[in-house]
């Protein structure tokens, strides 16, 4: 998510990147607006909820990989010493991450302390059907923030990944700077093979390519993970543009193929009411070939966007400034927006987009106001 705040003094402002940021942020918010559809067996047992949760949840998986690709496009190769790079990047995400993680973990206790019911907490945080009202339990979860996140702070999983990518980038960058395009394509090819590992683990063998009960680091381990999206953003972002028609002829089939694989796989897994959380998320895995297809399609297509309106460009630039804070706070607004959308009688097929738009507006407005405070960077990045 650092990409929601990163431009450099030496490069002109990149408007299509602001548009891509907007698309990715809306996707992230909409994904979390599908939580009430997918979080409980009761919701998944409802055919209408199961269908629309599957449709929207499958469509939006490119969100997080797009943020990583933008990071790779903007920051690779790193031009600073590692220590200077860490000092510049990590505090900007670390302090807001800690502040909002603490607030999320205190929320279940606070809601019940002021008289709210456990059911209201679950309306805010659908993945926790039995929330604790204990302040001591809240303090225990806060103490574990350096190691893990909770279902109350669900979006914060990505910040651990982002900080890890920051730590890794100066090391990776030394190779990126010297590697030929052919070498980069070879890395990406090996990374692509690694994207099939979740499916091999589920459907073929628990262990493969040298992994076993005493070893988790198999043949493709060192080419696996989000580092491939980093390199892909760097590689594709520098390619020469083709025509819009040619881009559409590539991106539309890519997206549809990735989408239908994701949708069919998710529907298959959730057809079992006793599916595990890991099984339910299998085809939603960000580092998977089907999600890669959708991500590449969106990235290449949005690159073709051209906006000249000064008003729109200023709004997009402000979104870039507020984006990391928007990401941190938006999960507080998902539950209320969903409840409001239900209250006004929104049809089930429209619940996700309506609550996503409401969440986006509330989150951006809140973050914009906070950005006017002194030392706001410690709160919203």
């Amino acid at each position: 998510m650092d990409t929601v705040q990163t431009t450099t003094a030496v490069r002109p402002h990149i408007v299509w990147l602001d548009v891509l940021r907007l698309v990715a942020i809306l996707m992230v918010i909409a994904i979390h607006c599908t939580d009430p559809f997918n979080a409980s067996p009761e919701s998944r047992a409802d055919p209408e909820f199961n269908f629309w949760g599957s449709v929207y949840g499958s469509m939006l998986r490119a969100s997080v990989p797009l943020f990583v690709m933008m990071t790779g496009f903007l920051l690779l190769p790193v031009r600073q010493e590692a220590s200077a790079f860490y000092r510049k990047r990590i505090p900007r995400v670390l302090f807001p991450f800690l502040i909002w993680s603490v607030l999320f973990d205190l929320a279940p206790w606070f809601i019940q302390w002021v008289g709210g019911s456990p059911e209201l907490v679950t309306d805010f945080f659908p993945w926790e059907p039995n929330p604790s009202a204990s302040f001591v339990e809240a303090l225990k979860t806060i103490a574990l923030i350096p190691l893990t996140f909770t279902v109350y702070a669900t979006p914060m999983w990505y910040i651990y990944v982002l900080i890890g990518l920051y730590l890794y980038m100066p090391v990776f960058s030394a190779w990126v700077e010297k590697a030929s395009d052919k070498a980069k394509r070879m890395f990406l090819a090996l990374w692509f093979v690694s994207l099939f590992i979740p499916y091999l683990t589920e459907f073929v063998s628990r262990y493969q390519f040298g992994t076993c009960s005493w070893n988790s680091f198999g043949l493709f381990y060192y080419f696996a993970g989000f580092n491939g999206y980093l390199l892909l953003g760097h590689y594709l972002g520098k390619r020469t543009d083709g025509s819009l028609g040619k881009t559409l002829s590539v991106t539309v089939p890519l997206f549809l193929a990735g989408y239908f694989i994701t949708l069919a796989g998710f529907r298959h897994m959730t057809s079992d009411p006793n599916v595990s959380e890991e099984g339910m998320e299998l085809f939603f895995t960000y580092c998977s070939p089907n999600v890669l297809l959708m991500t590449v399609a969106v990235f290449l297509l949005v690159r073709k966007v051209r906006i000249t309106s000064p008003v729109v460009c200023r709004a997009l630039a402000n979104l870039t400034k507020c984006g990391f804070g928007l990401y941190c706070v938006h999960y507080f607004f998902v539950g209320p927006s969903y409840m409001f959308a239900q209250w006004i009688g929104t049809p089930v097929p429209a619940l996700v987009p309506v609550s996503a738009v409401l969440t986006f507006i509330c989150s951006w407005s809140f973050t914009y106001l906070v950005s006017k405070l002194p030392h706001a960077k410690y709160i919203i990045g």
Side-chain angles (χ1 to χ4, degrees), residues 18 44-45 62 69 92 113 140 145 173 208 264 271 307 369:
D18 289 343
R44 295 196 301 274
M69 287 185 69
R92 289 291 295 270
W113 181 67
K140 288 180 180 178
I145 287 173
S173 183
Q208 71 272 182
S271 64
I307 295 176
L369 293 174

Side-chain angles (χ1 to χ4, degrees), residues 257-272:
Y259 173 63
F260 284 116
I261 293 170
T262 307
L263 177 61
F266 182 75
R267 295 277 286 172
H268 169 72
M269 299 303 290
T270 56
S271 64
D272 177 3

Side-chain angles (χ1 to χ4, degrees), residues 60 63 90 106 139 141 180 184 217 268 271 310 316 336 339 376:
L60 303 164
S63 53
I90 293 179
L106 286 175
L139 293 180
T141 61
S180 65
K184 293 172 184 176
F217 310 104
H268 169 72
S271 64
L316 290 169
M339 287 185 283

Side-chain angles (χ1 to χ4, degrees), residues 175-286:
W175 176 81
V176 171
E177 192 164 17
K178 295 181 179 180
S180 65
D181 281 354
K182 181 179 180 180
K184 293 172 184 176
R185 288 193 295 270
M186 181 188 70
F187 183 102
L188 290 170
L190 291 168
W191 172 67
F192 180 72
V193 175
S194 80
L195 299 180
F196 289 88
I197 289 176
Y199 301 130
L200 293 174
T201 302
E202 178 72 18
F203 299 117
V204 180
S205 171
R206 179 183 175 188
Y207 299 122
Q208 71 272 182
F209 305 123
T211 61
C212 54
S213 59
W214 61 87
N215 175 50
S216 299
F217 310 104
L219 174 62
F220 293 101
Y221 177 86
Y222 304 100
F223 294 93
F226 284 100
N227 59 351
Y229 284 116
L230 276 181
L231 183 62
L232 191 63
H234 163 80
Y235 183 81
L236 290 181
K238 306 298 189 290
R239 299 302 96 188
T240 303
D241 277 335
S243 67
L244 177 60
K246 184 177 180 180
T247 301
L248 285 170
S249 70
V250 172
T251 57
V252 171
L254 281 180
F255 187 89
L256 290 177
Y259 173 63
F260 284 116
I261 293 170
T262 307
L263 177 61
F266 182 75
R267 295 277 286 172
H268 169 72
M269 299 303 290
T270 56
S271 64
D272 177 3
N274 299 313
V275 65
S276 67
E277 188 173 337
E278 291 77 13
M280 189 181 72
E281 295 284 346
L282 179 63
F283 283 85
F284 279 5
T285 303
Y286 293 114

Side-chain angles (χ1 to χ4, degrees), residues 53-71:
S54 303
V55 166
Y56 286 117
S58 301
M59 187 186 302
L60 303 164
R61 304 318 295 177
S63 53
V64 170
L66 285 172
F67 285 120
V68 182
M69 287 185 69
M70 286 187 279
T71 300

